[in-house]
mmCIF file of all heavy atoms in Angstrom:
data_model
loop_
_atom_site.group_PDB
_atom_site.id
_atom_site.type_symbol
_atom_site.label_atom_id
_atom_site.label_comp_id
_atom_site.label_asym_id
_atom_site.label_seq_id
_atom_site.Cartn_x
_atom_site.Cartn_y
_atom_site.Cartn_z
ATOM 1 N N ILE K 1507 -7.049 -4.658 -4.263
ATOM 2 C CA ILE K 1507 -5.592 -4.518 -4.110
ATOM 3 C C ILE K 1507 -5.191 -4.819 -2.666
ATOM 4 O O ILE K 1507 -4.211 -5.525 -2.412
ATOM 5 C CB ILE K 1507 -5.127 -3.104 -4.519
ATOM 6 C CG1 ILE K 1507 -5.553 -2.776 -5.952
ATOM 7 C CG2 ILE K 1507 -3.626 -2.946 -4.341
ATOM 8 C CD1 ILE K 1507 -4.963 -3.671 -7.010
ATOM 9 N N ASP K 1508 -5.954 -4.302 -1.715
ATOM 10 C CA ASP K 1508 -5.676 -4.590 -0.306
ATOM 11 C C ASP K 1508 -5.794 -6.087 -0.027
ATOM 12 O O ASP K 1508 -4.991 -6.651 0.714
ATOM 13 C CB ASP K 1508 -6.639 -3.821 0.608
ATOM 14 C CG ASP K 1508 -6.194 -2.386 0.852
ATOM 15 O OD1 ASP K 1508 -5.227 -1.944 0.206
ATOM 16 O OD2 ASP K 1508 -6.825 -1.711 1.683
ATOM 17 N N VAL K 1509 -6.788 -6.725 -0.626
ATOM 18 C CA VAL K 1509 -6.983 -8.165 -0.426
ATOM 19 C C VAL K 1509 -5.766 -8.931 -0.940
ATOM 20 O O VAL K 1509 -5.250 -9.831 -0.273
ATOM 21 C CB VAL K 1509 -8.280 -8.649 -1.124
ATOM 22 C CG1 VAL K 1509 -8.378 -10.166 -1.113
ATOM 23 C CG2 VAL K 1509 -9.508 -8.019 -0.474
ATOM 24 N N ARG K 1510 -5.293 -8.542 -2.131
ATOM 25 C CA ARG K 1510 -4.131 -9.241 -2.719
ATOM 26 C C ARG K 1510 -2.846 -9.002 -1.947
ATOM 27 O O ARG K 1510 -2.017 -9.887 -1.805
ATOM 28 C CB ARG K 1510 -3.933 -8.809 -4.164
ATOM 29 C CG ARG K 1510 -4.796 -9.596 -5.123
ATOM 30 C CD ARG K 1510 -4.358 -9.366 -6.538
ATOM 31 N NE ARG K 1510 -5.118 -8.233 -7.044
ATOM 32 C CZ ARG K 1510 -4.737 -7.460 -8.044
ATOM 33 N NH1 ARG K 1510 -3.600 -7.688 -8.655
ATOM 34 N NH2 ARG K 1510 -5.472 -6.459 -8.440
ATOM 35 N N THR K 1511 -2.642 -7.775 -1.453
ATOM 36 C CA THR K 1511 -1.371 -7.434 -0.807
ATOM 37 C C THR K 1511 -1.384 -7.633 0.698
ATOM 38 O O THR K 1511 -0.329 -7.678 1.318
ATOM 39 C CB THR K 1511 -0.999 -5.963 -1.090
ATOM 40 O OG1 THR K 1511 -2.004 -5.114 -0.526
ATOM 41 C CG2 THR K 1511 -0.866 -5.701 -2.578
ATOM 42 N N GLY K 1512 -2.569 -7.705 1.285
ATOM 43 C CA GLY K 1512 -2.654 -7.811 2.735
ATOM 44 C C GLY K 1512 -2.500 -6.470 3.429
ATOM 45 O O GLY K 1512 -2.446 -6.397 4.653
ATOM 46 N N TYR K 1513 -2.426 -5.400 2.661
ATOM 47 C CA TYR K 1513 -2.280 -4.053 3.204
ATOM 48 C C TYR K 1513 -3.660 -3.492 3.530
ATOM 49 O O TYR K 1513 -4.645 -3.822 2.869
ATOM 50 C CB TYR K 1513 -1.587 -3.168 2.161
ATOM 51 C CG TYR K 1513 -1.142 -1.834 2.682
ATOM 52 C CD1 TYR K 1513 0.011 -1.706 3.436
ATOM 53 C CD2 TYR K 1513 -1.869 -0.686 2.406
ATOM 54 C CE1 TYR K 1513 0.430 -0.474 3.906
ATOM 55 C CE2 TYR K 1513 -1.464 0.548 2.862
ATOM 56 C CZ TYR K 1513 -0.316 0.653 3.617
ATOM 57 O OH TYR K 1513 0.093 1.874 4.075
ATOM 58 N N LYS K 1514 -3.758 -2.645 4.505
ATOM 59 C CA LYS K 1514 -5.032 -2.027 4.885
ATOM 60 C C LYS K 1514 -4.958 -0.536 4.602
ATOM 61 O O LYS K 1514 -4.267 0.218 5.287
ATOM 62 C CB LYS K 1514 -5.324 -2.282 6.370
ATOM 63 C CG LYS K 1514 -6.535 -1.564 6.902
ATOM 64 C CD LYS K 1514 -7.835 -2.146 6.399
ATOM 65 C CE LYS K 1514 -8.982 -1.523 7.189
ATOM 66 N NZ LYS K 1514 -10.176 -1.372 6.460
ATOM 67 N N THR K 1515 -5.643 -0.114 3.551
ATOM 68 C CA THR K 1515 -5.689 1.297 3.198
ATOM 69 C C THR K 1515 -6.781 1.974 4.009
ATOM 70 O O THR K 1515 -7.921 1.524 4.013
ATOM 71 C CB THR K 1515 -5.980 1.473 1.697
ATOM 72 O OG1 THR K 1515 -4.973 0.788 0.950
ATOM 73 C CG2 THR K 1515 -5.997 2.934 1.310
ATOM 74 N N ARG K 1516 -6.411 3.044 4.690
ATOM 75 C CA ARG K 1516 -7.388 3.805 5.467
ATOM 76 C C ARG K 1516 -7.705 5.123 4.773
ATOM 77 O O ARG K 1516 -8.846 5.430 4.507
ATOM 78 C CB ARG K 1516 -6.857 4.064 6.875
ATOM 79 C CG ARG K 1516 -6.669 2.821 7.734
ATOM 80 C CD ARG K 1516 -6.215 3.160 9.165
ATOM 81 N NE ARG K 1516 -5.294 4.286 9.272
ATOM 82 C CZ ARG K 1516 -3.965 4.197 9.134
ATOM 83 N NH1 ARG K 1516 -3.399 3.034 8.911
ATOM 84 N NH2 ARG K 1516 -3.206 5.266 9.262
ATOM 85 N N THR K 1517 -6.661 5.913 4.547
ATOM 86 C CA THR K 1517 -6.854 7.245 3.963
ATOM 87 C C THR K 1517 -6.060 7.364 2.671
ATOM 88 O O THR K 1517 -4.994 6.757 2.521
ATOM 89 C CB THR K 1517 -6.401 8.335 4.950
ATOM 90 O OG1 THR K 1517 -5.025 8.126 5.277
ATOM 91 C CG2 THR K 1517 -7.221 8.311 6.226
ATOM 92 N N LEU K 1518 -6.573 8.166 1.755
ATOM 93 C CA LEU K 1518 -5.916 8.397 0.459
ATOM 94 C C LEU K 1518 -5.929 9.882 0.132
ATOM 95 O O LEU K 1518 -6.898 10.584 0.420
ATOM 96 C CB LEU K 1518 -6.691 7.701 -0.663
ATOM 97 C CG LEU K 1518 -6.537 6.211 -0.837
ATOM 98 C CD1 LEU K 1518 -7.622 5.679 -1.757
ATOM 99 C CD2 LEU K 1518 -5.186 5.902 -1.427
ATOM 100 N N LEU K 1519 -4.863 10.311 -0.504
ATOM 101 C CA LEU K 1519 -4.815 11.654 -1.063
ATOM 102 C C LEU K 1519 -4.225 11.512 -2.460
ATOM 103 O O LEU K 1519 -3.090 11.050 -2.619
ATOM 104 C CB LEU K 1519 -3.957 12.585 -0.200
ATOM 105 C CG LEU K 1519 -3.774 14.014 -0.697
ATOM 106 C CD1 LEU K 1519 -5.113 14.728 -0.860
ATOM 107 C CD2 LEU K 1519 -2.856 14.794 0.223
ATOM 108 N N CYS K 1520 -5.002 11.852 -3.481
ATOM 109 C CA CYS K 1520 -4.574 11.739 -4.878
ATOM 110 C C CYS K 1520 -4.610 13.110 -5.532
ATOM 111 O O CYS K 1520 -5.544 13.884 -5.299
ATOM 112 C CB CYS K 1520 -5.497 10.803 -5.652
ATOM 113 S SG CYS K 1520 -5.599 9.151 -4.988
ATOM 114 N N MET K 1521 -3.604 13.376 -6.366
ATOM 115 C CA MET K 1521 -3.547 14.659 -7.074
ATOM 116 C C MET K 1521 -2.878 14.464 -8.420
ATOM 117 O O MET K 1521 -2.017 13.590 -8.574
ATOM 118 C CB MET K 1521 -2.774 15.698 -6.274
ATOM 119 C CG MET K 1521 -3.436 16.113 -5.003
ATOM 120 S SD MET K 1521 -2.587 17.526 -4.292
ATOM 121 C CE MET K 1521 -3.966 18.352 -3.553
ATOM 122 N N PRO K 1522 -3.237 15.322 -9.383
ATOM 123 C CA PRO K 1522 -2.601 15.220 -10.697
ATOM 124 C C PRO K 1522 -1.190 15.799 -10.673
ATOM 125 O O PRO K 1522 -0.887 16.709 -9.896
ATOM 126 C CB PRO K 1522 -3.514 16.068 -11.592
ATOM 127 C CG PRO K 1522 -4.122 17.066 -10.662
ATOM 128 C CD PRO K 1522 -4.269 16.348 -9.342
ATOM 129 N N ILE K 1523 -0.349 15.237 -11.519
ATOM 130 C CA ILE K 1523 0.975 15.810 -11.763
ATOM 131 C C ILE K 1523 0.860 16.554 -13.085
ATOM 132 O O ILE K 1523 0.513 15.950 -14.109
ATOM 133 C CB ILE K 1523 2.059 14.719 -11.860
ATOM 134 C CG1 ILE K 1523 2.101 13.893 -10.575
ATOM 135 C CG2 ILE K 1523 3.423 15.350 -12.141
ATOM 136 C CD1 ILE K 1523 3.006 12.679 -10.664
ATOM 137 N N LYS K 1524 1.108 17.843 -13.066
ATOM 138 C CA LYS K 1524 0.946 18.670 -14.260
ATOM 139 C C LYS K 1524 2.284 19.232 -14.697
ATOM 140 O O LYS K 1524 3.170 19.485 -13.875
ATOM 141 C CB LYS K 1524 -0.029 19.809 -13.987
ATOM 142 C CG LYS K 1524 -1.429 19.342 -13.645
ATOM 143 C CD LYS K 1524 -2.346 20.516 -13.375
ATOM 144 C CE LYS K 1524 -3.740 20.042 -13.027
ATOM 145 N NZ LYS K 1524 -4.647 21.175 -12.785
ATOM 146 N N ASP K 1525 2.398 19.454 -16.009
ATOM 147 C CA ASP K 1525 3.597 20.112 -16.509
ATOM 148 C C ASP K 1525 3.419 21.626 -16.415
ATOM 149 O O ASP K 1525 2.409 22.112 -15.899
ATOM 150 C CB ASP K 1525 3.935 19.644 -17.928
ATOM 151 C CG ASP K 1525 2.911 20.079 -18.965
ATOM 152 O OD1 ASP K 1525 1.972 20.838 -18.640
ATOM 153 O OD2 ASP K 1525 3.044 19.652 -20.135
ATOM 154 N N ILE K 1526 4.366 22.356 -16.946
ATOM 155 C CA ILE K 1526 4.368 23.813 -16.839
ATOM 156 C C ILE K 1526 3.160 24.447 -17.535
ATOM 157 O O ILE K 1526 2.713 25.535 -17.186
ATOM 158 C CB ILE K 1526 5.699 24.403 -17.388
ATOM 159 C CG1 ILE K 1526 5.865 25.869 -16.995
ATOM 160 C CG2 ILE K 1526 5.787 24.264 -18.874
ATOM 161 C CD1 ILE K 1526 6.618 26.032 -15.724
ATOM 162 N N ASN K 1527 2.579 23.721 -18.519
ATOM 163 C CA ASN K 1527 1.422 24.224 -19.261
ATOM 164 C C ASN K 1527 0.092 23.810 -18.640
ATOM 165 O O ASN K 1527 -0.960 24.087 -19.188
ATOM 166 C CB ASN K 1527 1.469 23.737 -20.709
ATOM 167 C CG ASN K 1527 2.719 24.192 -21.418
ATOM 168 O OD1 ASN K 1527 3.152 25.326 -21.276
ATOM 169 N ND2 ASN K 1527 3.328 23.297 -22.175
ATOM 170 N N GLY K 1528 0.150 23.102 -17.517
ATOM 171 C CA GLY K 1528 -1.062 22.649 -16.857
ATOM 172 C C GLY K 1528 -1.606 21.345 -17.401
ATOM 173 O O GLY K 1528 -2.671 20.896 -16.988
#
Side-chain angles (χ1 to χ4, degrees):
I1507 304 298
D1508 277 8
V1509 171
R1510 275 193 269 157
T1511 62
Y1513 191 79
K1514 174 72 170 148
T1515 302
R1516 295 184 323 275
T1517 58
L1518 282 166
L1519 178 58
C1520 302
M1521 293 190 147
I1523 302 172
K1524 297 180 180 181
D1525 67 6
I1526 193 92
N1527 301 318

